[in-house]
Amino acid sequence: MPELSVLMLILFVIAAAIVAIEIKDLLSSVVAFGAIGMGIAVIFLLLKAPDLAITQLVVELLCLVILIRATLGQKPLEKRSPLFLPLLLSAGAFLIVFLVSAALALKELPEFGQPLMRVSQTYIDWSLSMVRTPNVVTAIILDFRAYDTLGEATVLFTAVIGVLAVMRKVGRKKTKSDSSRDGRQN
Amino acid sequence: MNRQSYKRDVRPEQTAGMTLIVKTVARLTVGLILIFGTYVVFEGHLSSGGGFPGGVIITLAFINLVLAFGWKPLMGKLPRRRAVLIGSLGISLFLLLSLFGLISGVFFKNVIPRGEAFNLFSAGHILYCNIGICLNVGMGLFAIFLALILFRIEPEDGA
């Protein structure tokens, strides 16, 4: 029965998320973050989306490596304890708004496991005979809706350019000379 | 002055990599990881997979090398500028394939002849699109990783 295991995995992911937020040690927090990603990957696998599961697993590993690398020698952050009453009030207000809107929205959705098959039925019917590929997901993302994938690749490319522009050498050299100038003044 | 230069010494595990065990295991497995990533890219239209996860798997192989051997040995083969260049070539290939459709009048129309289903060279431009996405995603993420690593190391090393 896949639904029960999916429910338990969701509970595990929520518990890992709470641990990742609340724990003091940064490395343990990153490990809990990895547990979230692995749990989500297994959920995708159980809900029969292997493409998504592979992508989730692999991207999670990459993020984990970068995060562990970044937090390896860091000291734990000192947390300021926030005021209790405003926190409680805002959390309560958010929960009420979220639950009411979720109850209204979930009524309109089709039931779990019984999707509406209007557009998707066309894709499933035509992907083997028209696109000539047995993988319906690839047929959708690279043939029926390849324009979306071009936009997605452009988004990632823009992100790469943004990171490289922020961390380029010219900007760093300027900060170095700034700091040395400060040192000379001191 | 003296104290400052002492502080700026690069820690040994960052340049020389990890222990002999990690190096040996990395040397044995990196080739297999690369082959698996290439398989995921090239079989993206036949089984689950595709350009995005395949590209990230290939990146993870390179990241394995950087983590095990330090960043210096890889810098001669694949510096950040070359990684960015390959990534840009990947997205240019994807864009070029999308413009090929304009030959028959429609943007992104699949003009490359589709072969028999379940073959490697089937489904028209999907395989070439996957290769372009793989180069874009993989080398782009690897460039980000190198930027994040060198951002911490270079000020200590170059000073």
Side-chain angles (χ1 to χ4, degrees), chain A residues 51 58 62 69 131-133 135 138 142-143 146 164 172, chain B residues 44-45 47 49 56 63 84 110 114-115 123 125 152 154:
Chain A
D51 291 81
V58 161
L62 184 66
R69 189 78 195 179
V131 190
R132 310 265 175 84
T133 162
N135 187 353
T138 307
L142 280 176
D143 205 295
L164 293 181
R172 265 184 280 149
Chain B
H45 54 297
S47 59
V56 183
I63 285 176
V84 175
N110 202 336
R114 307 163 194 274
H125 69 193
R152 248 182 53 188
E154 236 177 41

mmCIF file with all atom_site columns, all heavy atoms in Angstrom, chain A residues 51 58 62 69 131-133 135 138 142-143 146 164 172, chain B residues 44-45 47 49 56 63 84 110 114-115 123 125 152 154:
data_model
loop_
_atom_site.group_PDB
_atom_site.id
_atom_site.type_symbol
_atom_site.label_atom_id
_atom_site.label_alt_id
_atom_site.label_comp_id
_atom_site.label_asym_id
_atom_site.label_entity_id
_atom_site.label_seq_id
_atom_site.pdbx_PDB_ins_code
_atom_site.Cartn_x
_atom_site.Cartn_y
_atom_site.Cartn_z
_atom_site.occupancy
_atom_site.B_iso_or_equiv
_atom_site.pdbx_formal_charge
_atom_site.auth_seq_id
_atom_site.auth_comp_id
_atom_site.auth_asym_id
_atom_site.auth_atom_id
_atom_site.pdbx_PDB_model_num
ATOM 1   N N   . ASP A 1 51  ? 11.834 9.947  -13.097 1.00 0.00 ? 51  ASP A N   1
ATOM 2   C CA  . ASP A 1 51  ? 12.633 11.058 -13.638 1.00 0.00 ? 51  ASP A CA  1
ATOM 3   C C   . ASP A 1 51  ? 12.865 12.117 -12.571 1.00 0.00 ? 51  ASP A C   1
ATOM 4   O O   . ASP A 1 51  ? 13.984 12.567 -12.333 1.00 0.00 ? 51  ASP A O   1
ATOM 5   C CB  . ASP A 1 51  ? 11.899 11.682 -14.826 1.00 0.00 ? 51  ASP A CB  1
ATOM 6   C CG  . ASP A 1 51  ? 11.859 10.774 -16.019 1.00 0.00 ? 51  ASP A CG  1
ATOM 7   O OD1 . ASP A 1 51  ? 11.007 9.879  -16.045 1.00 0.00 ? 51  ASP A OD1 1
ATOM 8   O OD2 . ASP A 1 51  ? 12.690 10.954 -16.912 1.00 0.00 ? 51  ASP A OD2 1
ATOM 9   N N   . VAL A 1 58  ? 19.950 13.770 -7.245  1.00 0.00 ? 58  VAL A N   1
ATOM 10  C CA  . VAL A 1 58  ? 21.251 14.237 -7.725  1.00 0.00 ? 58  VAL A CA  1
ATOM 11  C C   . VAL A 1 58  ? 21.484 15.694 -7.348  1.00 0.00 ? 58  VAL A C   1
ATOM 12  O O   . VAL A 1 58  ? 22.560 16.068 -6.855  1.00 0.00 ? 58  VAL A O   1
ATOM 13  C CB  . VAL A 1 58  ? 21.284 14.000 -9.243  1.00 0.00 ? 58  VAL A CB  1
ATOM 14  C CG1 . VAL A 1 58  ? 22.322 14.833 -9.879  1.00 0.00 ? 58  VAL A CG1 1
ATOM 15  C CG2 . VAL A 1 58  ? 21.533 12.553 -9.551  1.00 0.00 ? 58  VAL A CG2 1
ATOM 16  N N   . LEU A 1 62  ? 24.338 17.420 -4.788  1.00 0.00 ? 62  LEU A N   1
ATOM 17  C CA  . LEU A 1 62  ? 25.190 18.568 -5.148  1.00 0.00 ? 62  LEU A CA  1
ATOM 18  C C   . LEU A 1 62  ? 25.060 19.668 -4.109  1.00 0.00 ? 62  LEU A C   1
ATOM 19  O O   . LEU A 1 62  ? 26.065 20.217 -3.626  1.00 0.00 ? 62  LEU A O   1
ATOM 20  C CB  . LEU A 1 62  ? 24.790 19.060 -6.531  1.00 0.00 ? 62  LEU A CB  1
ATOM 21  C CG  . LEU A 1 62  ? 25.623 20.193 -7.114  1.00 0.00 ? 62  LEU A CG  1
ATOM 22  C CD1 . LEU A 1 62  ? 27.015 19.714 -7.371  1.00 0.00 ? 62  LEU A CD1 1
ATOM 23  C CD2 . LEU A 1 62  ? 25.011 20.693 -8.384  1.00 0.00 ? 62  LEU A CD2 1
ATOM 24  N N   . ARG A 1 69  ? 30.642 21.713 2.490   1.00 0.00 ? 69  ARG A N   1
ATOM 25  C CA  . ARG A 1 69  ? 31.893 22.411 2.230   1.00 0.00 ? 69  ARG A CA  1
ATOM 26  C C   . ARG A 1 69  ? 31.870 23.815 2.833   1.00 0.00 ? 69  ARG A C   1
ATOM 27  O O   . ARG A 1 69  ? 32.867 24.309 3.352   1.00 0.00 ? 69  ARG A O   1
ATOM 28  C CB  . ARG A 1 69  ? 32.072 22.480 0.714   1.00 0.00 ? 69  ARG A CB  1
ATOM 29  C CG  . ARG A 1 69  ? 33.380 22.967 0.248   1.00 0.00 ? 69  ARG A CG  1
ATOM 30  C CD  . ARG A 1 69  ? 34.413 21.890 0.351   1.00 0.00 ? 69  ARG A CD  1
ATOM 31  N NE  . ARG A 1 69  ? 35.724 22.499 0.240   1.00 0.00 ? 69  ARG A NE  1
ATOM 32  C CZ  . ARG A 1 69  ? 36.849 21.830 0.318   1.00 0.00 ? 69  ARG A CZ  1
ATOM 33  N NH1 . ARG A 1 69  ? 36.821 20.542 0.513   1.00 0.00 ? 69  ARG A NH1 1
ATOM 34  N NH2 . ARG A 1 69  ? 37.981 22.436 0.204   1.00 0.00 ? 69  ARG A NH2 1
ATOM 35  N N   . VAL A 1 131 ? 6.045  11.075 -31.417 1.00 0.00 ? 131 VAL A N   1
ATOM 36  C CA  . VAL A 1 131 ? 7.412  11.470 -31.080 1.00 0.00 ? 131 VAL A CA  1
ATOM 37  C C   . VAL A 1 131 ? 8.366  10.289 -31.212 1.00 0.00 ? 131 VAL A C   1
ATOM 38  O O   . VAL A 1 131 ? 9.573  10.462 -31.302 1.00 0.00 ? 131 VAL A O   1
ATOM 39  C CB  . VAL A 1 131 ? 7.434  12.069 -29.652 1.00 0.00 ? 131 VAL A CB  1
ATOM 40  C CG1 . VAL A 1 131 ? 8.746  12.717 -29.334 1.00 0.00 ? 131 VAL A CG1 1
ATOM 41  C CG2 . VAL A 1 131 ? 6.347  13.105 -29.514 1.00 0.00 ? 131 VAL A CG2 1
ATOM 42  N N   . ARG A 1 132 ? 7.857  9.083  -31.198 1.00 0.00 ? 132 ARG A N   1
ATOM 43  C CA  . ARG A 1 132 ? 8.662  7.861  -31.289 1.00 0.00 ? 132 ARG A CA  1
ATOM 44  C C   . ARG A 1 132 ? 9.589  7.705  -30.106 1.00 0.00 ? 132 ARG A C   1
ATOM 45  O O   . ARG A 1 132 ? 10.758 7.358  -30.278 1.00 0.00 ? 132 ARG A O   1
ATOM 46  C CB  . ARG A 1 132 ? 9.483  7.836  -32.584 1.00 0.00 ? 132 ARG A CB  1
ATOM 47  C CG  . ARG A 1 132 ? 8.687  8.118  -33.813 1.00 0.00 ? 132 ARG A CG  1
ATOM 48  C CD  . ARG A 1 132 ? 8.236  6.844  -34.465 1.00 0.00 ? 132 ARG A CD  1
ATOM 49  N NE  . ARG A 1 132 ? 7.372  7.142  -35.595 1.00 0.00 ? 132 ARG A NE  1
ATOM 50  C CZ  . ARG A 1 132 ? 7.836  7.438  -36.806 1.00 0.00 ? 132 ARG A CZ  1
ATOM 51  N NH1 . ARG A 1 132 ? 9.126  7.454  -37.015 1.00 0.00 ? 132 ARG A NH1 1
ATOM 52  N NH2 . ARG A 1 132 ? 7.005  7.689  -37.770 1.00 0.00 ? 132 ARG A NH2 1
ATOM 53  N N   . THR A 1 133 ? 9.109  7.994  -28.908 1.00 0.00 ? 133 THR A N   1
ATOM 54  C CA  . THR A 1 133 ? 9.908  7.690  -27.727 1.00 0.00 ? 133 THR A CA  1
ATOM 55  C C   . THR A 1 133 ? 9.006  7.053  -26.681 1.00 0.00 ? 133 THR A C   1
ATOM 56  O O   . THR A 1 133 ? 7.876  7.490  -26.491 1.00 0.00 ? 133 THR A O   1
ATOM 57  C CB  . THR A 1 133 ? 10.592 8.945  -27.155 1.00 0.00 ? 133 THR A CB  1
ATOM 58  O OG1 . THR A 1 133 ? 10.979 8.680  -25.819 1.00 0.00 ? 133 THR A OG1 1
ATOM 59  C CG2 . THR A 1 133 ? 9.685  10.138 -27.156 1.00 0.00 ? 133 THR A CG2 1
ATOM 60  N N   . ASN A 1 135 ? 9.487  7.150  -23.496 1.00 0.00 ? 135 ASN A N   1
ATOM 61  C CA  . ASN A 1 135 ? 9.484  7.925  -22.257 1.00 0.00 ? 135 ASN A CA  1
ATOM 62  C C   . ASN A 1 135 ? 8.588  9.158  -22.444 1.00 0.00 ? 135 ASN A C   1
ATOM 63  O O   . ASN A 1 135 ? 8.945  10.103 -23.139 1.00 0.00 ? 135 ASN A O   1
ATOM 64  C CB  . ASN A 1 135 ? 10.912 8.340  -21.917 1.00 0.00 ? 135 ASN A CB  1
ATOM 65  C CG  . ASN A 1 135 ? 11.017 8.993  -20.563 1.00 0.00 ? 135 ASN A CG  1
ATOM 66  O OD1 . ASN A 1 135 ? 10.011 9.244  -19.927 1.00 0.00 ? 135 ASN A OD1 1
ATOM 67  N ND2 . ASN A 1 135 ? 12.223 9.278  -20.140 1.00 0.00 ? 135 ASN A ND2 1
ATOM 68  N N   . THR A 1 138 ? 10.033 12.649 -21.210 1.00 0.00 ? 138 THR A N   1
ATOM 69  C CA  . THR A 1 138 ? 10.956 13.299 -22.137 1.00 0.00 ? 138 THR A CA  1
ATOM 70  C C   . THR A 1 138 ? 10.227 13.818 -23.363 1.00 0.00 ? 138 THR A C   1
ATOM 71  O O   . THR A 1 138 ? 10.557 14.886 -23.880 1.00 0.00 ? 138 THR A O   1
ATOM 72  C CB  . THR A 1 138 ? 12.055 12.310 -22.554 1.00 0.00 ? 138 THR A CB  1
ATOM 73  O OG1 . THR A 1 138 ? 12.643 11.783 -21.378 1.00 0.00 ? 138 THR A OG1 1
ATOM 74  C CG2 . THR A 1 138 ? 13.105 12.990 -23.356 1.00 0.00 ? 138 THR A CG2 1
ATOM 75  N N   . LEU A 1 142 ? 10.678 17.772 -24.013 1.00 0.00 ? 142 LEU A N   1
ATOM 76  C CA  . LEU A 1 142 ? 11.557 18.154 -25.114 1.00 0.00 ? 142 LEU A CA  1
ATOM 77  C C   . LEU A 1 142 ? 10.876 18.131 -26.480 1.00 0.00 ? 142 LEU A C   1
ATOM 78  O O   . LEU A 1 142 ? 11.528 18.431 -27.470 1.00 0.00 ? 142 LEU A O   1
ATOM 79  C CB  . LEU A 1 142 ? 12.798 17.255 -25.159 1.00 0.00 ? 142 LEU A CB  1
ATOM 80  C CG  . LEU A 1 142 ? 13.872 17.651 -24.158 1.00 0.00 ? 142 LEU A CG  1
ATOM 81  C CD1 . LEU A 1 142 ? 15.015 16.688 -24.174 1.00 0.00 ? 142 LEU A CD1 1
ATOM 82  C CD2 . LEU A 1 142 ? 14.373 19.036 -24.453 1.00 0.00 ? 142 LEU A CD2 1
ATOM 83  N N   . ASP A 1 143 ? 9.605  17.762 -26.544 1.00 0.00 ? 143 ASP A N   1
ATOM 84  C CA  . ASP A 1 143 ? 8.960  17.861 -27.851 1.00 0.00 ? 143 ASP A CA  1
ATOM 85  C C   . ASP A 1 143 ? 7.647  18.633 -27.796 1.00 0.00 ? 143 ASP A C   1
ATOM 86  O O   . ASP A 1 143 ? 7.502  19.654 -28.450 1.00 0.00 ? 143 ASP A O   1
ATOM 87  C CB  . ASP A 1 143 ? 8.729  16.454 -28.414 1.00 0.00 ? 143 ASP A CB  1
ATOM 88  C CG  . ASP A 1 143 ? 8.650  16.489 -29.924 1.00 0.00 ? 143 ASP A CG  1
ATOM 89  O OD1 . ASP A 1 143 ? 7.707  17.100 -30.433 1.00 0.00 ? 143 ASP A OD1 1
ATOM 90  O OD2 . ASP A 1 143 ? 9.530  15.911 -30.588 1.00 0.00 ? 143 ASP A OD2 1
ATOM 91  N N   . ALA A 1 146 ? 8.786  21.887 -25.520 1.00 0.00 ? 146 ALA A N   1
ATOM 92  C CA  . ALA A 1 146 ? 10.223 22.169 -25.497 1.00 0.00 ? 146 ALA A CA  1
ATOM 93  C C   . ALA A 1 146 ? 10.508 23.633 -25.223 1.00 0.00 ? 146 ALA A C   1
ATOM 94  O O   . ALA A 1 146 ? 11.581 23.972 -24.718 1.00 0.00 ? 146 ALA A O   1
ATOM 95  C CB  . ALA A 1 146 ? 10.843 21.767 -26.826 1.00 0.00 ? 146 ALA A CB  1
ATOM 96  N N   . LEU A 1 164 ? 28.666 33.847 -11.009 1.00 0.00 ? 164 LEU A N   1
ATOM 97  C CA  . LEU A 1 164 ? 30.029 34.162 -11.449 1.00 0.00 ? 164 LEU A CA  1
ATOM 98  C C   . LEU A 1 164 ? 30.269 35.663 -11.454 1.00 0.00 ? 164 LEU A C   1
ATOM 99  O O   . LEU A 1 164 ? 31.397 36.118 -11.203 1.00 0.00 ? 164 LEU A O   1
ATOM 100 C CB  . LEU A 1 164 ? 30.268 33.576 -12.838 1.00 0.00 ? 164 LEU A CB  1
ATOM 101 C CG  . LEU A 1 164 ? 30.287 32.058 -12.880 1.00 0.00 ? 164 LEU A CG  1
ATOM 102 C CD1 . LEU A 1 164 ? 30.548 31.581 -14.276 1.00 0.00 ? 164 LEU A CD1 1
ATOM 103 C CD2 . LEU A 1 164 ? 31.338 31.529 -11.950 1.00 0.00 ? 164 LEU A CD2 1
ATOM 104 N N   . ARG A 1 172 ? 36.595 41.087 -6.033  1.00 0.00 ? 172 ARG A N   1
ATOM 105 C CA  . ARG A 1 172 ? 37.318 40.639 -4.849  1.00 0.00 ? 172 ARG A CA  1
ATOM 106 C C   . ARG A 1 172 ? 38.599 41.425 -4.647  1.00 0.00 ? 172 ARG A C   1
ATOM 107 O O   . ARG A 1 172 ? 38.967 41.772 -3.542  1.00 0.00 ? 172 ARG A O   1
ATOM 108 C CB  . ARG A 1 172 ? 37.630 39.147 -4.983  1.00 0.00 ? 172 ARG A CB  1
ATOM 109 C CG  . ARG A 1 172 ? 36.590 38.298 -4.304  1.00 0.00 ? 172 ARG A CG  1
ATOM 110 C CD  . ARG A 1 172 ? 36.981 36.867 -4.367  1.00 0.00 ? 172 ARG A CD  1
ATOM 111 N NE  . ARG A 1 172 ? 36.664 36.297 -5.660  1.00 0.00 ? 172 ARG A NE  1
ATOM 112 C CZ  . ARG A 1 172 ? 37.354 35.342 -6.208  1.00 0.00 ? 172 ARG A CZ  1
ATOM 113 N NH1 . ARG A 1 172 ? 38.391 34.860 -5.613  1.00 0.00 ? 172 ARG A NH1 1
ATOM 114 N NH2 . ARG A 1 172 ? 36.996 34.856 -7.375  1.00 0.00 ? 172 ARG A NH2 1
ATOM 115 N N   . GLY B 2 44  ? 18.139 9.273  -22.314 1.00 0.00 ? 44  GLY B N   1
ATOM 116 C CA  . GLY B 2 44  ? 17.079 10.081 -21.727 1.00 0.00 ? 44  GLY B CA  1
ATOM 117 C C   . GLY B 2 44  ? 15.749 9.920  -22.421 1.00 0.00 ? 44  GLY B C   1
ATOM 118 O O   . GLY B 2 44  ? 14.702 10.065 -21.805 1.00 0.00 ? 44  GLY B O   1
ATOM 119 N N   . HIS B 2 45  ? 15.752 9.586  -23.718 1.00 0.00 ? 45  HIS B N   1
ATOM 120 C CA  . HIS B 2 45  ? 14.490 9.434  -24.429 1.00 0.00 ? 45  HIS B CA  1
ATOM 121 C C   . HIS B 2 45  ? 14.026 7.982  -24.458 1.00 0.00 ? 45  HIS B C   1
ATOM 122 O O   . HIS B 2 45  ? 12.975 7.690  -25.022 1.00 0.00 ? 45  HIS B O   1
ATOM 123 C CB  . HIS B 2 45  ? 14.612 9.973  -25.841 1.00 0.00 ? 45  HIS B CB  1
ATOM 124 C CG  . HIS B 2 45  ? 15.742 9.373  -26.618 1.00 0.00 ? 45  HIS B CG  1
ATOM 125 N ND1 . HIS B 2 45  ? 17.053 9.528  -26.230 1.00 0.00 ? 45  HIS B ND1 1
ATOM 126 C CD2 . HIS B 2 45  ? 15.758 8.633  -27.726 1.00 0.00 ? 45  HIS B CD2 1
ATOM 127 C CE1 . HIS B 2 45  ? 17.808 8.894  -27.092 1.00 0.00 ? 45  HIS B CE1 1
ATOM 128 N NE2 . HIS B 2 45  ? 17.057 8.339  -27.999 1.00 0.00 ? 45  HIS B NE2 1
ATOM 129 N N   . SER B 2 47  ? 14.733 5.608  -21.462 1.00 0.00 ? 47  SER B N   1
ATOM 130 C CA  . SER B 2 47  ? 14.332 5.267  -20.102 1.00 0.00 ? 47  SER B CA  1
ATOM 131 C C   . SER B 2 47  ? 14.344 6.561  -19.296 1.00 0.00 ? 47  SER B C   1
ATOM 132 O O   . SER B 2 47  ? 14.619 7.623  -19.831 1.00 0.00 ? 47  SER B O   1
ATOM 133 C CB  . SER B 2 47  ? 15.292 4.237  -19.497 1.00 0.00 ? 47  SER B CB  1
ATOM 134 O OG  . SER B 2 47  ? 16.588 4.757  -19.489 1.00 0.00 ? 47  SER B OG  1
ATOM 135 N N   . GLY B 2 49  ? 15.455 9.566  -17.073 1.00 0.00 ? 49  GLY B N   1
ATOM 136 C CA  . GLY B 2 49  ? 16.728 10.252 -17.047 1.00 0.00 ? 49  GLY B CA  1
ATOM 137 C C   . GLY B 2 49  ? 16.615 11.493 -17.901 1.00 0.00 ? 49  GLY B C   1
ATOM 138 O O   . GLY B 2 49  ? 15.548 12.075 -17.999 1.00 0.00 ? 49  GLY B O   1
ATOM 139 N N   . VAL B 2 56  ? 24.128 16.742 -13.992 1.00 0.00 ? 56  VAL B N   1
ATOM 140 C CA  . VAL B 2 56  ? 24.504 16.901 -12.585 1.00 0.00 ? 56  VAL B CA  1
ATOM 141 C C   . VAL B 2 56  ? 25.345 15.715 -12.124 1.00 0.00 ? 56  VAL B C   1
ATOM 142 O O   . VAL B 2 56  ? 26.267 15.881 -11.315 1.00 0.00 ? 56  VAL B O   1
ATOM 143 C CB  . VAL B 2 56  ? 23.246 17.093 -11.717 1.00 0.00 ? 56  VAL B CB  1
ATOM 144 C CG1 . VAL B 2 56  ? 23.640 17.329 -10.282 1.00 0.00 ? 56  VAL B CG1 1
ATOM 145 C CG2 . VAL B 2 56  ? 22.461 18.272 -12.194 1.00 0.00 ? 56  VAL B CG2 1
ATOM 146 N N   . ILE B 2 63  ? 33.291 16.963 -9.117  1.00 0.00 ? 63  ILE B N   1
ATOM 147 C CA  . ILE B 2 63  ? 33.361 17.463 -7.739  1.00 0.00 ? 63  ILE B CA  1
ATOM 148 C C   . ILE B 2 63  ? 34.058 16.439 -6.846  1.00 0.00 ? 63  ILE B C   1
ATOM 149 O O   . ILE B 2 63  ? 34.838 16.798 -5.954  1.00 0.00 ? 63  ILE B O   1
ATOM 150 C CB  . ILE B 2 63  ? 31.942 17.796 -7.247  1.00 0.00 ? 63  ILE B CB  1
ATOM 151 C CG1 . ILE B 2 63  ? 31.474 19.098 -7.880  1.00 0.00 ? 63  ILE B CG1 1
ATOM 152 C CG2 . ILE B 2 63  ? 31.905 17.941 -5.738  1.00 0.00 ? 63  ILE B CG2 1
ATOM 153 C CD1 . ILE B 2 63  ? 30.076 19.461 -7.547  1.00 0.00 ? 63  ILE B CD1 1
ATOM 154 N N   . VAL B 2 84  ? 32.789 27.454 -18.036 1.00 0.00 ? 84  VAL B N   1
ATOM 155 C CA  . VAL B 2 84  ? 31.738 28.390 -18.454 1.00 0.00 ? 84  VAL B CA  1
ATOM 156 C C   . VAL B 2 84  ? 31.583 28.370 -19.963 1.00 0.00 ? 84  VAL B C   1
ATOM 157 O O   . VAL B 2 84  ? 30.461 28.430 -20.495 1.00 0.00 ? 84  VAL B O   1
ATOM 158 C CB  . VAL B 2 84  ? 32.068 29.808 -17.938 1.00 0.00 ? 84  VAL B CB  1
ATOM 159 C CG1 . VAL B 2 84  ? 31.067 30.805 -18.459 1.00 0.00 ? 84  VAL B CG1 1
ATOM 160 C CG2 . VAL B 2 84  ? 32.066 29.829 -16.441 1.00 0.00 ? 84  VAL B CG2 1
ATOM 161 N N   . ASN B 2 110 ? 10.371 19.743 -34.811 1.00 0.00 ? 110 ASN B N   1
ATOM 162 C CA  . ASN B 2 110 ? 11.368 18.676 -34.846 1.00 0.00 ? 110 ASN B CA  1
ATOM 163 C C   . ASN B 2 110 ? 11.656 18.313 -36.288 1.00 0.00 ? 110 ASN B C   1
ATOM 164 O O   . ASN B 2 110 ? 10.935 17.528 -36.891 1.00 0.00 ? 110 ASN B O   1
ATOM 165 C CB  . ASN B 2 110 ? 10.817 17.464 -34.087 1.00 0.00 ? 110 ASN B CB  1
ATOM 166 C CG  . ASN B 2 110 ? 11.900 16.552 -33.623 1.00 0.00 ? 110 ASN B CG  1
ATOM 167 O OD1 . ASN B 2 110 ? 12.975 16.547 -34.188 1.00 0.00 ? 110 ASN B OD1 1
ATOM 168 N ND2 . ASN B 2 110 ? 11.619 15.772 -32.605 1.00 0.00 ? 110 ASN B ND2 1
ATOM 169 N N   . ARG B 2 114 ? 12.797 11.398 -37.480 1.00 0.00 ? 114 ARG B N   1
ATOM 170 C CA  . ARG B 2 114 ? 12.630 10.474 -36.361 1.00 0.00 ? 114 ARG B CA  1
ATOM 171 C C   . ARG B 2 114 ? 12.798 9.062  -36.880 1.00 0.00 ? 114 ARG B C   1
ATOM 172 O O   . ARG B 2 114 ? 12.168 8.672  -37.850 1.00 0.00 ? 114 ARG B O   1
ATOM 173 C CB  . ARG B 2 114 ? 11.228 10.594 -35.774 1.00 0.00 ? 114 ARG B CB  1
ATOM 174 C CG  . ARG B 2 114 ? 10.824 11.981 -35.396 1.00 0.00 ? 114 ARG B CG  1
ATOM 175 C CD  . ARG B 2 114 ? 9.313  11.999 -35.248 1.00 0.00 ? 114 ARG B CD  1
ATOM 176 N NE  . ARG B 2 114 ? 8.811  13.354 -35.199 1.00 0.00 ? 114 ARG B NE  1
ATOM 177 C CZ  . ARG B 2 114 ? 8.742  14.064 -34.074 1.00 0.00 ? 114 ARG B CZ  1
ATOM 178 N NH1 . ARG B 2 114 ? 9.133  13.545 -32.952 1.00 0.00 ? 114 ARG B NH1 1
ATOM 179 N NH2 . ARG B 2 114 ? 8.271  15.284 -34.096 1.00 0.00 ? 114 ARG B NH2 1
ATOM 180 N N   . GLY B 2 115 ? 13.625 8.297  -36.199 1.00 0.00 ? 115 GLY B N   1
ATOM 181 C CA  . GLY B 2 115 ? 13.815 6.922  -36.628 1.00 0.00 ? 115 GLY B CA  1
ATOM 182 C C   . GLY B 2 115 ? 12.786 6.002  -36.006 1.00 0.00 ? 115 GLY B C   1
ATOM 183 O O   . GLY B 2 115 ? 11.691 6.417  -35.643 1.00 0.00 ? 115 GLY B O   1
ATOM 184 N N   . ALA B 2 123 ? 13.483 9.616  -32.287 1.00 0.00 ? 123 ALA B N   1
ATOM 185 C CA  . ALA B 2 123 ? 12.857 10.771 -31.647 1.00 0.00 ? 123 ALA B CA  1
ATOM 186 C C   . ALA B 2 123 ? 13.497 12.093 -32.026 1.00 0.00 ? 123 ALA B C   1
ATOM 187 O O   . ALA B 2 123 ? 13.454 13.040 -31.262 1.00 0.00 ? 123 ALA B O   1
ATOM 188 C CB  . ALA B 2 123 ? 12.846 10.619 -30.125 1.00 0.00 ? 123 ALA B CB  1
ATOM 189 N N   . HIS B 2 125 ? 15.205 15.444 -32.517 1.00 0.00 ? 125 HIS B N   1
ATOM 190 C CA  . HIS B 2 125 ? 16.209 16.296 -31.894 1.00 0.00 ? 125 HIS B CA  1
ATOM 191 C C   . HIS B 2 125 ? 16.318 16.096 -30.388 1.00 0.00 ? 125 HIS B C   1
ATOM 192 O O   . HIS B 2 125 ? 17.084 16.809 -29.746 1.00 0.00 ? 125 HIS B O   1
ATOM 193 C CB  . HIS B 2 125 ? 15.936 17.763 -32.206 1.00 0.00 ? 125 HIS B CB  1
ATOM 194 C CG  . HIS B 2 125 ? 14.719 18.321 -31.544 1.00 0.00 ? 125 HIS B CG  1
ATOM 195 N ND1 . HIS B 2 125 ? 14.177 19.520 -31.901 1.00 0.00 ? 125 HIS B ND1 1
ATOM 196 C CD2 . HIS B 2 125 ? 13.919 17.844 -30.570 1.00 0.00 ? 125 HIS B CD2 1
ATOM 197 C CE1 . HIS B 2 125 ? 13.124 19.763 -31.153 1.00 0.00 ? 125 HIS B CE1 1
ATOM 198 N NE2 . HIS B 2 125 ? 12.940 18.769 -30.349 1.00 0.00 ? 125 HIS B NE2 1
ATOM 199 N N   . ARG B 2 152 ? 36.816 30.988 -1.205  1.00 0.00 ? 152 ARG B N   1
ATOM 200 C CA  . ARG B 2 152 ? 37.378 30.884 0.138   1.00 0.00 ? 152 ARG B CA  1
ATOM 201 C C   . ARG B 2 152 ? 38.888 30.714 0.103   1.00 0.00 ? 152 ARG B C   1
ATOM 202 O O   . ARG B 2 152 ? 39.577 31.153 0.996   1.00 0.00 ? 152 ARG B O   1
ATOM 203 C CB  . ARG B 2 152 ? 36.753 29.698 0.877   1.00 0.00 ? 152 ARG B CB  1
ATOM 204 C CG  . ARG B 2 152 ? 35.888 30.161 2.024   1.00 0.00 ? 152 ARG B CG  1
ATOM 205 C CD  . ARG B 2 152 ? 35.307 29.007 2.769   1.00 0.00 ? 152 ARG B CD  1
ATOM 206 N NE  . ARG B 2 152 ? 36.320 28.053 3.184   1.00 0.00 ? 152 ARG B NE  1
ATOM 207 C CZ  . ARG B 2 152 ? 36.019 26.891 3.727   1.00 0.00 ? 152 ARG B CZ  1
ATOM 208 N NH1 . ARG B 2 152 ? 34.772 26.555 3.893   1.00 0.00 ? 152 ARG B NH1 1
ATOM 209 N NH2 . ARG B 2 152 ? 36.955 26.061 4.090   1.00 0.00 ? 152 ARG B NH2 1
ATOM 210 N N   . GLU B 2 154 ? 41.246 31.422 -2.558  1.00 0.00 ? 154 GLU B N   1
ATOM 211 C CA  . GLU B 2 154 ? 42.153 32.277 -3.319  1.00 0.00 ? 154 GLU B CA  1
ATOM 212 C C   . GLU B 2 154 ? 42.705 33.459 -2.536  1.00 0.00 ? 154 GLU B C   1
ATOM 213 O O   . GLU B 2 154 ? 43.890 33.748 -2.649  1.00 0.00 ? 154 GLU B O   1
ATOM 214 C CB  . GLU B 2 154 ? 41.466 32.753 -4.587  1.00 0.00 ? 154 GLU B CB  1
ATOM 215 C CG  . GLU B 2 154 ? 42.280 32.382 -5.804  1.00 0.00 ? 154 GLU B CG  1
ATOM 216 C CD  . GLU B 2 154 ? 41.582 32.775 -7.055  1.00 0.00 ? 154 GLU B CD  1
ATOM 217 O OE1 . GLU B 2 154 ? 41.012 33.871 -7.071  1.00 0.00 ? 154 GLU B OE1 1
ATOM 218 O OE2 . GLU B 2 154 ? 41.603 31.987 -8.006  1.00 0.00 ? 154 GLU B OE2 1
#
